[in-house]
Amino acid sequence: MNPDVWLAAVIGAAIGAAIVAIAMRRKQRKEIISSTLVPHRTRQLLSVLQSGAVIVRRDRRAAFVNNPAAAIGVARPDGALLPAIADLAEQAWERGEAVEEEIAVKRGVLGVTSQVHVRVVPLDDDLVLAVVNDHTEARIAEQSRREFAVNVSHELKTPVGALSLLAESIEEGADDEHMVRSFAGKMRKEARRLTKLIQEIIEISRLQGGESVLDHENVHIAGVIAEAIDGASLTAESKNITLTADVKADPMVMGDRDLLLMALRNLVDNAVHYSDPGKRVTVSCKTDDGAVSVAVVDQGIGIDTKDQERIFERFFRTDPARSRDSGGTGLGLSIVKHVALQHAGTVEVWSQRGVGSTFTLRLQEHRVDPDTQGEK
């Protein structure tokens, strides 16, 4: 036989064998998928769980992922699965019983690491159920709860003491109408500050208890920015501060819209409070390699370098006198930090005295592909 003909025949046979092998693998994959489809009713039940839930197939992919599991980062709606979960699934099949383990999960493009508890239970020879819970925030809360009570009692003493002194002064000078009106106004101010302090204590206690992000949903960041700016517009107008949005995109994140709004509103309010009249505050949004960055930029008084590492601590104030005048409690930035952690995100600060500050909230972008909403 002609060598060239023989070589062409060998190459042709090899190509044919490769094509057959690929076709067989595709057929096997389709058979696996068709035999492990999760019934609609089961999907509905798993979707309402507060814990993360993943149905794992033999081919180390996810047949179903609920929103909490996707938010924790152990699996994606397209079927991609964290290798550690797949390993636990194989152990469960091998032992024929439930397997539990704590694993470290890097959540999203920001690389935030969480310690996650996973319980994997075999359902049959082809599927296992993995139930996932993130206890990271709860552990942090337990560690800091003792000192929190001491800080709260100290902070509450100030407005309560002021109200007591003002009430005594009004009682002693009840005949002085001008003094009564003046002190009554101060009492209202202290009462408002006390109310705000109590509300923020409740919010941060809820956040640190890990009980906040219960219902994950797709959140359009542009809408959150618009609402935060609208909420701060009256205060900005009263100080002649220009408040603008620089939003060229409308990315989505998965999380709790109310919490994200609260965090962004705190950043915008701070920017307005710590800026002098006639200045500008800008809120911008951009995406980069799967991360959403929301930046609040002001032309305010700035923050000393030595204080920048502490500003996210509870009750820490860089300027106590100005904070008290503006009704600040020292909890706003701590709330922002915990909201970011609850969403596997970060909050960063750049600041220079006399120039201003930029606070950037970074979250993982959530892309929805209509073609990947069914079984994978």
Side-chain angles (χ1 to χ4, degrees):
M1 179 184 292
N2 188 305
D4 292 338
V5 174
W6 180 83
L7 180 59
V10 170
I11 294 174
I15 293 174
I19 292 173
V20 170
I22 292 172
M24 289 294 294
R25 282 197 294 270
R26 287 179 177 175
K27 181 181 179 182
Q28 290 172 353
R29 178 171 172 76
K30 288 181 179 179
E31 289 175 351
I32 290 173
I33 292 174
S34 62
S35 66
T36 57
L37 290 177
V38 180
H40 179 67
R41 180 63 65 183
T42 303
R43 293 164 58 88
Q44 286 182 314
L45 291 172
L46 295 178
S47 295
V48 301
L49 293 179
Q50 295 179 6
S51 300
V54 183
I55 301 292
V56 184
R57 300 194 308 242
R58 279 284 187 178
D59 62 352
R60 298 174 65 89
R61 292 184 64 81
F64 173 79
V65 182
N66 70 357
N67 281 344
I72 291 172
V74 296
R76 296 202 308 261
D78 64 1
L81 185 66
L82 191 72
I85 302 291
D87 293 340
L88 288 175
E90 291 179 356
Q91 290 181 33
W93 273 312
E94 182 179 349
R95 299 179 187 179
E97 61 183 13
V99 176
E100 296 185 50
E101 192 170 308
E102 294 273 338
I103 63 173
V105 178
K106 285 190 176 181
R107 298 172 64 177
V109 296
L110 303 179
V112 177
T113 301
S114 298
Q115 290 297 321
V116 173
H117 178 266
V118 183
R119 178 178 172 84
V120 180
V121 182
L123 300 178
D124 54 32
D125 291 338
D126 297 311
L127 298 173
V128 301
L129 170 64
V131 180
V132 186
N133 288 286
D134 184 357
H135 298 309
T136 304
E137 197 66 18
R139 291 195 182 97
I140 295 173
E142 186 64 32
Q143 184 178 353
S144 62
R145 191 170 286 119
R146 300 181 186 91
E147 61 186 61
F148 184 53
V150 176
N151 290 336
V152 167
S153 62
H154 173 75
E155 290 295 323
L156 287 174
K157 284 179 181 179
T158 302
V160 170
L163 286 169
S164 178
L165 289 173
L166 289 167
E168 289 178 9
S169 300
I170 289 177
E171 185 178 14
E172 293 173 0
D175 295 333
D176 187 341
E177 183 178 349
H178 176 73
M179 185 272 290
V180 169
R181 289 181 179 276
S182 176
F183 281 16
K186 292 179 180 179
M187 289 181 71
R188 282 197 301 270
K189 182 178 179 181
E190 288 296 332
R192 285 195 298 268
R193 181 171 178 271
L194 183 59
T195 300
K196 182 179 180 182
L197 177 59
I198 292 172
Q199 288 174 340
E200 292 192 345
I201 287 172
I202 292 171
E203 288 295 345
I204 199 167
S205 297
R206 187 165 67 94
L207 285 166
Q208 289 184 326
E211 302 171 358
S212 51
V213 183
L214 301 180
D215 296 317
H216 294 84
E217 60 179 336
N218 294 329
V219 180
H220 289 270
I221 289 298
V224 176
I225 292 173
E227 191 169 342
I229 289 177
D230 183 64
S233 60
L234 287 177
T235 305
E237 288 175 9
S238 68
K239 294 184 64 176
N240 194 29
I241 290 175
T242 303
L243 188 55
T244 61
D246 180 16
V247 180
K248 297 182 175 63
D250 183 16
M252 284 196 305
V253 301
M254 182 179 287
D256 187 314
R257 190 181 191 280
D258 290 338
L259 288 180
L260 292 171
L261 175 59
M262 178 172 63
L264 189 55
R265 178 66 189 274
N266 273 323
L267 292 179
V268 176
D269 284 344
N270 277 356
V272 172
H273 286 316
Y274 288 94
S275 294
D276 292 326
K279 299 295 185 178
R280 177 184 295 273
V281 172
T282 303
V283 184
S284 65
C285 176
K286 67 177 182 179
T287 59
D288 182 25
D289 292 333
V292 178
S293 297
V294 181
V296 180
V297 184
D298 66 51
Q299 299 172 326
I301 60 176
I303 305 168
D304 288 333
T305 303
K306 62 181 178 64
D307 292 332
Q308 291 180 22
E309 294 183 359
R310 299 192 58 197
I311 56 175
F312 296 103
E313 295 177 10
R314 293 161 302 181
F315 302 114
F316 180 78
R317 302 180 182 91
T318 59
D319 188 346
R322 183 162 184 161
S323 179
R324 193 172 301 281
D325 289 340
S326 66
T329 63
L331 285 174
L333 290 179
S334 182
I335 287 174
V336 174
K337 181 189 76 172
H338 282 89
V339 170
L341 288 174
Q342 289 278 6
H343 290 80
T346 61
V347 59
E348 303 162 356
V349 61
W350 173 92
S351 187
Q352 185 175 337
R353 272 289 182 183
V355 177
S357 304
T358 299
F359 285 86
T360 304
L361 181 64
R362 302 188 72 226
L363 304 165
Q364 181 179 355
E365 184 178 7
H366 181 63
R367 296 188 178 98
V368 177
D369 184 353
D371 295 332
T372 63
Q373 296 306 297
E375 295 291 346
K376 291 291 174 184

